[in-house]
């Protein structure tokens, strides 16, 4: 297991701002706005909810990104905590659109978040002319305030209309999909490289329909920053996790890392290097209605490219020569 350095209190507090910002949106801002509806300040929430109604489709029409939010200094502190870096293996031409597979999911996808939703690792300088969008659960964009926060960072809905829009309006768009989804989060334990990919072919079909190039990526270290408690499939806790996922769209994982004190357990992730390696784009023809045989062909080519990417870089970023990449 890679060595984990003890972070400074300042870095730890900066890292905690990410989940705390979500908690603030859920438990402070929304109840506050509902409360204001019954006070003399009722026009404020009323105007916002009226605007929300008019703006409802924006997350499926390219969103509303903010260079200011993407350049907040807090993202740099989060990046330095691990640290997080991005490695380019090939240039991406602004003349094309791209559908990027993000692997693995991990528990909180720190690598994809910092590299594609912020400018902390210098994405715009590394890939000039490319506009990144990381897709996430659609229902997040139905939550007031949270939707604005996510869109400002360039996050988009993983719905088909949202992805179709980005891949059909202009060029230079890069849409990242965490292909393994929330199910892969339960596979996120240290020293494992198992991806849910064999039956996930919808992203390939979408890429073919738009003629978008497929880009494989692998984030080394993503599964090393937390330990997770795994439950047997017959246990009550596993059944609870499955029920939670059916209701909310993601699993309630039980995980732990380090705390502010050396050698003690807490909810801070271990400060271990995270490196996202962006592979060579795989050109695809544009086929309005691709056959299943065509989808299977390019899905196999994508898996092969991802496997080669992993094998080429694994020994440089914490994996042994004998470490294998498995597809479920």
């Amino acid at each position: 297991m890679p060595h984990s350095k003890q972070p400074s209190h300042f870095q730890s507090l900066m890292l905690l701002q990410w989940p705390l910002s979500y908690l603030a949106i859920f438990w402070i801002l929304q109840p506050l706005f509902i409360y204001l509806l019954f006070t003399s300040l009722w026009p404020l929430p009323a105007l916002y909810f009226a605007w929300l109604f008019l703006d409802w489709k924006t997350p499926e029409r390219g969103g509303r990104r903010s260079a200011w939010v993407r350049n907040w200094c807090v993202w740099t502190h989060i990046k330095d905590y691990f640290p997080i870096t991005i490695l380019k293996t090939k240039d991406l031409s602004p003349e094309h659109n791209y559908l990027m597979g993000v692997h693995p999911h991990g528990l909180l996808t720190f690598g994809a978040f910092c590299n594609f939703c912020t400018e902390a690792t210098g994405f715009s300088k590394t890939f000039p002319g490319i506009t990144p969008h990381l897709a996430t659960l659609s229902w997040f964009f139905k939550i007031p305030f949270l939707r604005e926060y996510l869109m400002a960072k360039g996050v988009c809905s993983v719905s088909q209309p949202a992805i179709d829009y980005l891949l059909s309006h202009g060029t230079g768009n890069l849409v990242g999909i965490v292909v393994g989804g929330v199910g892969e989060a339960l596979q996120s334990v240290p020293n494992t490289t198992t991806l849910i990919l064999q039956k996930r072919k919808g992203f390939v079909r979408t890429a073919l329909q738009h003629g978008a190039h497929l880009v494989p990526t692998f984030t080394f270290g993503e599964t090393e920053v937390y330990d997770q408690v795994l439950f047997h499939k017959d246990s009550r806790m596993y059944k609870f996790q499955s029920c939670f996922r059916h209701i909310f769209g993601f699993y309630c994982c039980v995980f732990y890392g380090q705390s502010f004190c050396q050698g003690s357990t807490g909810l801070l992730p271990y400060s271990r290097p995270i490196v996202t390696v962006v592979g060579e784009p795989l050109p695809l023809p544009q086929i309005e209605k691709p056959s299943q045989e065509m989808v299977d062909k390019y899905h196999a080519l994508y898996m092969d490219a991802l496997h080669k990417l992993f094998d080429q870089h694994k020994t440089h970023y914490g994996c042994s020569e004998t470490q294998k990449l498995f597809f479920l």
Side-chain angles (χ1 to χ4, degrees), residues 203-223:
F203 73 105
V204 178
R205 183 179 299 277
T206 298
L208 282 167
Q209 289 171 339
H210 294 278
H213 294 194
L214 285 175
V215 180
T217 71
F218 193 91
T219 300
F220 293 91
E222 187 68 61
T223 60

Side-chain angles (χ1 to χ4, degrees), residues 106-124:
L107 282 165
L108 296 178
T109 56
F110 287 110
F113 167 78
C114 260
N115 287 317
F116 306 123
C117 302
T118 80
E119 289 297 328
T121 57
F123 180 91
S124 295

Side-chain angles (χ1 to χ4, degrees), residues 54-327:
L54 297 174
D55 193 59
W56 194 250
K57 292 292 185 180
T58 298
E60 295 186 348
R61 296 171 180 168
R64 185 171 48 249
R65 65 201 297 117
S66 166
W68 175 65
V69 173
R70 288 175 57 86
N71 282 281
W72 280 355
C73 63
V74 63
W75 313 137
T76 301
H77 293 299
I78 292 176
K79 181 258 298 185
D80 292 339
Y81 173 91
F82 293 96
I84 297 173
T85 54
I86 188 170
L87 176 66
K88 176 176 70 172
T89 60
K90 294 288 182 178
D91 290 329
L92 298 181
S93 170
E95 296 179 1
H96 304 288
N97 284 325
Y98 304 89
L99 197 56
M100 174 179 65
V102 177
H103 313 276
H105 183 288
L107 282 165
L108 296 178
T109 56
F110 287 110
F113 167 78
C114 260
N115 287 317
F116 306 123
C117 302
T118 80
E119 289 297 328
T121 57
F123 180 91
S124 295
K125 293 180 180 178
T126 305
F127 296 99
I130 301 298
T131 304
H133 303 266
L134 185 65
T136 190
L137 296 175
S138 301
W139 72 268
F140 284 163
F141 295 92
K142 295 177 172 59
I143 302 173
F145 303 110
L146 180 59
R147 67 193 294 277
E148 327 301 340
Y149 173 67
L150 292 174
M151 284 193 292
K153 294 190 298 184
V155 179
C156 70
S157 167
V158 77
S159 68
Q160 193 66 48
I163 296 173
D164 287 339
Y165 184 95
L166 289 169
L167 295 179
S168 59
H169 286 71
T171 59
N173 289 311
L174 174 71
V175 181
I177 299 177
V178 187
V179 181
V182 293
E184 204 170 79
L186 287 184
Q187 308 288 334
S188 181
V189 291
N191 302 313
T192 60
T193 47
T194 302
L195 305 179
I196 298 177
L197 182 58
Q198 280 191 344
K199 296 181 180 179
R200 302 288 174 96
K201 301 180 180 181
F203 73 105
V204 178
R205 183 179 299 277
T206 298
L208 282 167
Q209 289 171 339
H210 294 278
H213 294 194
L214 285 175
V215 180
T217 71
F218 193 91
T219 300
F220 293 91
E222 187 68 61
T223 60
E224 306 296 322
V225 297
Y226 276 119
D227 288 302
Q228 182 177 186
V229 180
L230 300 180
F231 300 96
H232 192 273
K233 290 187 176 181
D234 294 328
S235 67
R236 291 182 178 179
M237 188 60 193
Y238 184 86
K239 292 177 181 177
F240 167 77
Q241 288 179 313
S242 298
C243 180
F244 188 94
R245 190 245 174 161
H246 285 304
I247 296 173
F248 295 102
F250 58 93
Y251 284 101
C252 176
C253 298
V254 179
F255 59 91
Y256 60 91
Q258 63 186 2
S259 73
F260 290 98
C261 301
Q262 181 72 41
S264 59
T265 300
L267 291 179
L268 283 173
Y270 302 118
S271 48
R272 295 169 180 161
I274 296 176
V275 182
T276 297
V277 182
V278 181
E280 181 177 1
L282 176 65
L284 268 66
Q286 184 171 5
I287 305 174
E288 184 177 353
K289 294 181 179 180
S291 65
Q292 188 59 50
E293 291 76 12
M294 187 66 70
V295 172
D296 291 343
K297 171 187 174 181
Y298 283 99
H299 183 262
L301 289 174
Y302 177 84
M303 288 199 300
D304 184 57
L306 180 59
H307 209 291
K308 289 179 179 177
L309 184 72
F310 174 80
D311 286 340
Q312 288 172 359
H313 297 276
K314 62 183 180 182
T315 57
H316 299 292
Y317 302 113
C319 296
S320 67
E321 184 66 45
T322 58
Q323 185 84 29
K324 300 295 183 182
L325 182 63
F326 297 99
F327 298 133

